[in-house]
Amino acid sequence: MYFAALLARTEDGWEASDTELLDNVETLSDLADLAREASPEDDTVLVLIEQEDAWFGVVRIDGEEDPRIYVSDAAAAARSSYGEILLTDELLGREPGDDEPDLDALDLDGTEDGEDEDEDDDSEAGGTGEAVPHGPVGDAEILDDLGVGVKELKALSADALTEIADSLGASEVLETVR
């Protein structure tokens, strides 16, 4: 089960809204646009995403700046549709398109010497999983100026979004959309 919410910082404090990400968002750009719509004044907007006890992610949008992303467990997130949105090539330290096969290196006509077909299947099956690290990825300082330091962020687990909201003074508004 997933939970996703937008927290927009305003002059009056934090405002929360829940969002059906799968209905509206297919890419990180879509997510950033959705977040920017939540704050017409170009204030800070946080997108909080959680898959029960498996992983959580925070995306921070400050006006027109590029989104900043933190994911608590990249390997777990990679197995979910929300995680796929957050785990960009840049975040994972890959060149765009690294996960696509190099056509020049493929044995397309079967005449070149190469590995067994079984060995190729094994390497392809584990290709994406091995490229995504277990553990946190992204900008661990994403909430530093808002009162959640690197150590605190990395130590969060089961109820991470509630703890983040508590630190921001936004727990009541987050609970209204849960």
Side-chain angles (χ1 to χ4, degrees):
M1 178 148 160
Y2 292 97
F3 172 73
L6 295 173
L7 281 180
R9 186 166 58 179
T10 67
E11 290 177 4
D12 302 325
W14 292 96
E15 291 180 7
S17 58
D18 62 345
T19 183
E20 293 295 325
L21 289 182
L22 292 178
D23 293 342
N24 304 321
V25 174
E26 294 179 11
T27 66
L28 183 58
S29 292
D30 294 342
L31 183 62
D33 292 343
L34 182 69
R36 287 182 182 107
E37 289 171 13
S39 178
E41 299 297 319
D42 288 340
D43 291 321
T44 298
V45 179
L46 301 176
V47 181
L48 305 174
I49 302 171
E50 180 177 69
Q51 182 181 7
E52 64 183 41
D53 298 337
W55 66 276
F56 71 91
V58 178
V59 179
R60 179 176 177 161
I61 288 62
D62 291 304
E64 291 300 316
E65 292 181 27
D66 288 340
R68 295 169 57 193
I69 304 166
Y70 176 82
V71 176
S72 66
D73 185 340
R79 295 185 296 268
S80 79
S81 54
Y82 287 150
E84 289 177 2
I85 293 170
L86 303 182
L87 296 175
T88 63
D89 287 335
E90 181 181 340
L91 188 71
L92 296 173
R94 301 187 297 215
E95 289 296 318
D98 267 0
D99 54 344
E100 295 180 20
D102 178 5
L103 294 179
D104 293 332
L106 293 178
D107 179 12
L108 298 176
D109 64 3
T111 59
E112 289 86 353
D113 291 334
E115 300 177 48
D116 276 356
E117 199 171 298
D118 291 343
E119 289 177 23
D120 288 343
D121 290 344
D122 291 344
S123 66
E124 284 179 25
T128 328
E130 292 174 20
V132 178
H134 290 276
V137 295
D139 184 354
E141 296 176 349
I142 192 169
L143 300 172
D144 223 14
D145 63 325
L146 299 174
V148 181
V150 173
K151 281 184 178 180
E152 292 87 2
L153 187 63
K154 288 185 175 184
L156 294 175
S157 57
D159 203 13
L161 300 190
T162 300
E163 292 181 42
I164 290 170
D166 283 345
S167 296
L168 300 175
S171 56
E172 287 181 24
V173 294
L174 184 64
E175 285 305 312
T176 63
V177 296
R178 264 206 194 254

